[in-house]
Amino acid sequence: MKLIKVRYGQTIEDISIQEYGSLSGVRFLLEDNPSISLDTLLFPGQELNIRIVELTDSGFQTVNYLKQNNLIPVAGFVGEKPEISYMDEDYVEEGYL
């Protein structure tokens, strides 16, 4: 096992992708961290146990890609709703949003 610290806005799914390269790692996270569940809001600095497992080829590639490019999965919505500034009015009017 190793310990990691949750980053601002991360969800259990984000941690799974970061550490295991897929959502299949959610099961490990729940088993190894009995104080959390699928609907637990994680907070920055919270420590989670990470099981050391042999990654699948695609999981290995995902984890390495994230590390090599200094990317941290953060899908959680935190704070105020962001203003969408990259879509023009025509895009919205045509029903795409």
Side-chain angles (χ1 to χ4, degrees):
M1 292 276 185
K2 70 176 184 176
L3 279 178
I4 59 114
K5 289 188 179 185
V6 174
R7 299 282 182 89
Y8 182 78
Q10 282 191 308
T11 64
I12 192 169
E13 293 86 0
D14 296 328
I15 300 295
S16 179
I17 292 169
Q18 172 184 303
E19 297 298 324
Y20 302 107
S22 73
L23 293 176
S24 62
V26 168
R27 180 176 59 92
F28 298 139
L29 290 167
L30 294 174
E31 289 174 358
D32 299 334
N33 298 278
S35 65
I36 64 171
S37 65
L38 284 175
D39 60 351
T40 300
L41 291 175
L42 303 178
F43 57 90
Q46 181 176 356
E47 291 185 335
L48 295 178
N49 292 311
I50 303 298
R51 185 182 304 188
I52 307 300
V53 298
E54 187 172 332
L55 301 176
T56 64
D57 287 340
S58 62
F60 180 79
Q61 290 174 1
T62 300
V63 169
N64 276 344
Y65 179 84
L66 294 171
K67 286 180 182 178
Q68 289 172 356
N69 292 285
N70 291 323
L71 298 173
I72 300 167
V74 179
F77 178 75
V78 180
E80 295 183 24
K81 185 175 180 180
E83 182 178 318
I84 298 174
S85 59
Y86 56 85
M87 294 182 191
D88 61 23
E89 291 178 11
D90 292 335
Y91 188 84
V92 175
E93 286 177 10
E94 292 175 19
Y96 294 108
L97 190 69

